């Protein structure tokens, strides 16, 4: 099975209704949240200056809540809330707990949006989910309107503030849940930020080794995408400690596979399917496992390409040449072997966990779709 031929499918017929119910209710909760935020801002403005006319937005005004809402409605795969749902099912789906699951599902969508917007700023990415990134759109408006100051800084500032609101509201959505759930959420958030920080600092420092690459991938990608959503759902559903530990072990294996596949798509993916440019990780010299393997496997004749990657001087032709050199040296084959091994080990973990058949089938299907996805 290959990444080119298998798309990620999260809506197998036997699981659609229950998962769809969770996602639909999460969407409704998010819409309510956006309405509350807009109303709160309107009321605050009225309280501040009751006798004054409403100020105009101006040519560079940003509808903070509207921008957040519009971006959140442009759904991706919705993998995190889907995994939270199945963690909830495996955990026992305690009566009366679905409302808290919906809170977690909605919060995960906002946390993911926070991470994407900030990641795009830090990586200088031009597109996401097939459309221009927020900081790029804001910077272009600044140029079009001949705004004062630096247009890139303006775009970055707008994106950062919108993402800050996403994180704040995500945290508030989780606040009414049990202490164990809040503790898992807090750990997930700090892992995500730490992973992103390690990515930034090790890219700038040109440090690349297996241990660092794996920690970055697990913290900034696998844990908040796979493991923690599963754990959160299981805790809400009333899972015992043995079940939670088993799901964490399974989630880390699939999360690692997710991260390797993400790196593969970042180098060789089809932009029409991934929604973002291919080769950006090579242009920026990201400390990924793929580049660590490349440092070990590339022949001397191709080392100048890796040196240019480290220096951040690869042009489009250099990116294409390094992509081909990595394939020829066996880097892509090693990545595919790693994904296959992680998937095999994850299936063995699920065997040991012995969950009920419906959830077992759903998790196995998700694991295969995640490992061999093409977008």
């Amino acid at each position: 099975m290959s990444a080119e031929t298998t798309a990620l499918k999260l809506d197998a017929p036997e699981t659609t209704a229950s998962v769809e119910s969770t996602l639909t209710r999460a969407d409704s909760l998010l819409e309510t949240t956006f309405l509350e935020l807009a109303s709160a801002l309107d009321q605050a403005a009225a309280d501040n200056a009751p006798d004054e006319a409403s100020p105009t937005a101006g040519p560079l005004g940003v509808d903070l809540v509207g921008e957040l809402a519009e971006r959140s409605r442009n759904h991706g795969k919705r993998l995190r809330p889907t995994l939270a749902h199945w963690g909830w099912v495996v955990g026992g789906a305690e009566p009366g707990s679905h409302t808290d699951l919906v809170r977690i599902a909605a919060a995960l969508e906002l946390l993911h949006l926070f991470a994407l917007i900030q990641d795009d700023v830090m990586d200088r990415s031009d597109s996401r989910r097939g459309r221009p990134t927020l900081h790029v759109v804001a910077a272009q408006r600044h140029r079009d309107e001949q705004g004062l100051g630096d247009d890139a800084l303006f775009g970055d500032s707008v994106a950062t503030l919108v993402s800050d609101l996403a994180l704040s509201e995500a945290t508030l959505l989780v606040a009414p849940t049990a202490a164990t759930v809040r503790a898992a959420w807090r750990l997930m958030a700090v892992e995500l930020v730490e992973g992103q920080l390690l990515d930034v600092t090790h890219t700038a420092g040109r440090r690349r080794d297996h241990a660092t690459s794996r920690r970055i991938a697990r913290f900034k990608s696998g844990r908040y995408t796979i493991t923690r959503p599963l754990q959160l759902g299981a805790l809400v559903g009333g899972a015992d400690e043995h079940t939670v530990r088993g799901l964490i072990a399974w989630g880390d294996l699939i999360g690692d596979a997710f991260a390797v596949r993400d790196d593969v798509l970042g180098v060789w993916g089809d932009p029409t399917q991934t929604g973002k440019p291919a080769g950006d990780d090579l242009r920026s010299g990201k400390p990924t496992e793929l580049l660590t393997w490349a440092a070990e496997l590339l022949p001397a004749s191709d080392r100048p390409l890796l040196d240019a990657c480290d220096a951040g001087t690869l042009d489009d032709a250099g990116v294409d040449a390094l992509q081909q050199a990595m394939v020829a040296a066996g880097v892509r084959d090693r990545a595919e072997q790693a994904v296959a091994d992680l998937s095999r080990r994850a299936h063995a973990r699920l065997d040991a966990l012995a969950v009920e058949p419906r959830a077992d089938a759903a998790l196995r299907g998700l694991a295969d779709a995640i490992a061999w996805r093409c977008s």
Side-chain angles (χ1 to χ4, degrees), residues 253-271:
L253 290 168
I254 295 302
D256 290 348
F258 175 90
V260 174
R261 177 61 61 206
D262 214 38
D263 289 342
V264 168
L265 294 174
V267 174
W268 295 288
D270 180 352

Side-chain angles (χ1 to χ4, degrees), residues 21-350:
S21 172
T22 298
L23 296 179
T24 299
R25 287 189 61 186
D27 284 343
S28 179
L29 178 56
L30 287 173
E31 291 301 324
T32 298
T33 299
F34 301 142
L35 286 172
E36 291 173 349
L37 284 170
S39 178
L41 281 178
D42 288 343
Q43 187 60 54
D47 291 344
N48 184 58
D51 299 324
E52 295 181 9
S54 298
T56 58
L60 287 174
V62 175
D63 179 356
L64 175 64
V65 178
E67 190 67 57
L68 178 64
E70 195 274 334
R71 293 272 164 181
S72 76
R73 293 172 189 138
N74 183 33
H75 296 309
K77 303 176 187 70
R78 316 205 74 180
L79 180 56
R80 292 156 190 84
T82 299
L83 282 163
H85 175 92
W86 285 112
W88 176 73
V89 172
V90 173
E94 262 185 2
S97 63
H98 193 250
T99 296
D100 277 351
L101 174 66
V102 170
R103 284 186 165 278
I104 293 297
L108 285 167
E109 290 285 81
L110 287 180
L111 181 72
H112 185 41
L113 184 58
F114 153 78
L116 291 183
I117 293 173
Q118 294 219 347
D119 191 56
D120 288 339
V121 170
M122 287 181 271
D123 289 348
R124 313 314 298 163
S125 297
D126 292 334
S127 62
R128 171 73 68 174
R129 293 176 176 172
R131 60 187 299 186
T133 49
L134 178 54
H135 70 280
V136 167
V137 172
Q140 185 60 55
R141 286 183 58 205
H142 186 281
R143 288 191 292 274
D144 292 344
E145 298 294 336
Q146 298 182 335
L148 178 65
D150 182 82
D151 57 284
L153 177 60
F154 178 83
D156 291 354
S157 300
V158 168
T160 299
L161 292 167
V162 172
S163 67
D164 284 347
L165 183 60
L167 177 60
S168 173
E169 289 303 307
T171 304
L172 288 172
L173 283 171
V174 176
T177 61
T180 54
V181 177
R182 297 197 307 272
W185 178 273
R186 184 183 193 186
L187 179 57
M188 175 181 63
V190 74
E191 285 173 340
L192 172 58
V193 175
E194 170 73 0
Q196 187 65 63
L197 182 60
L198 287 171
D199 188 34
V200 169
T201 57
H202 284 75
T203 298
R206 298 182 179 87
R207 178 178 174 183
R208 196 180 297 126
D209 60 74
H210 288 297
T212 301
S213 297
R214 288 169 185 161
R215 182 172 182 179
I216 291 171
R218 180 167 284 190
F219 275 20
K220 71 167 284 191
S221 185
R223 278 276 168 87
Y224 106 98
T225 301
I226 312 294
T227 307
R228 299 305 179 202
L230 267 173
Q231 180 186 6
L232 288 163
L235 289 171
V236 169
D240 59 34
E241 186 177 346
H242 169 75
T243 300
V244 172
R245 285 200 307 268
L247 285 173
I248 289 173
W250 182 87
D252 276 347
L253 290 168
I254 295 302
D256 290 348
F258 175 90
V260 174
R261 177 61 61 206
D262 214 38
D263 289 342
V264 168
L265 294 174
V267 174
W268 295 288
D270 180 352
T272 64
Q273 296 190 55
T274 64
K276 55 186 177 181
D280 276 0
D281 287 356
L282 303 183
R283 291 182 181 88
S284 58
K286 289 282 185 181
T288 64
E289 192 87 284
L290 296 183
L291 283 176
T292 304
W293 289 330
E296 296 173 353
L297 296 175
L298 284 180
S301 59
D302 290 326
R303 301 300 298 190
L305 292 170
L306 199 57
D307 292 339
C309 175
D310 287 339
T313 58
L314 276 180
D315 56 15
D316 289 345
V319 167
D320 183 65
L322 183 54
Q323 288 170 329
Q324 295 181 47
M326 289 169 67
V327 171
V331 174
R332 185 161 187 173
D333 285 343
R334 180 175 287 191
E336 298 296 344
Q337 290 166 7
V339 169
D341 180 60
L342 288 163
S343 299
R344 177 188 57 77
R345 290 163 58 196
H347 284 315
R349 284 279 186 177
L350 203 54

